Amino acid sequence: LYLLIGERAPASATLRVVFFVSLLCFIVPLLVDDYALTLASFCAFEFGLGLYWPAMAVMRAELVPNHLRATMTSVFRVPLNLLVMACLACAGNVSEPSFFMMCAGM
């Protein structure tokens, strides 16, 4: 799918759309209490992830020199993993709407 979109739009534009749609996908469960819409929003979020990873790989190839790419990727994974661990630690103690607000804010 990214092969079709990537030829027509630059990776930065694709990422902006993916980030906006992801924000909307996390806001839907806050506003609507319908199972089908919540499921559809999570499916749309996963679809956006399928566009995010190839677009981010293109951006990384354009912006980060090859000899620094592995180091930069590893350095940014540490805070990301800490953030994921903090979210998982809070998951049982925080209400579901608050958790979705936190995800939408990220």
Side-chain angles (χ1 to χ4, degrees):
L1 178 65
Y2 183 75
L3 291 174
L4 299 173
I5 294 172
E7 293 176 358
R8 296 182 184 156
S12 60
T14 302
L15 286 172
R16 278 193 292 270
V17 170
V18 167
F19 291 147
F20 182 71
V21 170
S22 296
L23 172 69
L24 294 178
C25 289
F26 276 119
I27 289 177
V28 166
L30 293 170
L31 302 176
V32 180
D33 198 28
D34 183 35
Y35 175 76
L37 283 175
T38 301
L39 180 63
S41 72
F42 283 124
C43 289
F45 177 76
E46 289 293 327
F47 180 77
L49 286 179
L51 292 174
Y52 169 82
W53 289 112
M56 191 54 100
V58 169
M59 292 288 292
R60 193 179 316 126
E62 290 175 358
L63 300 174
V64 180
N66 196 25
H67 68 280
L68 294 175
R69 199 168 298 150
T71 304
M72 292 292 289
T73 303
S74 298
V75 166
F76 283 108
R77 280 196 177 140
V78 171
L80 177 64
N81 286 335
L82 291 174
L83 182 63
V84 168
M85 288 174 22
C87 289
L88 290 174
C90 294
N93 302 327
V94 179
S95 68
E96 209 171 273
S98 298
F99 199 71
F100 284 125
M101 284 291 280
M102 183 176 60
C103 290
M106 286 192 274

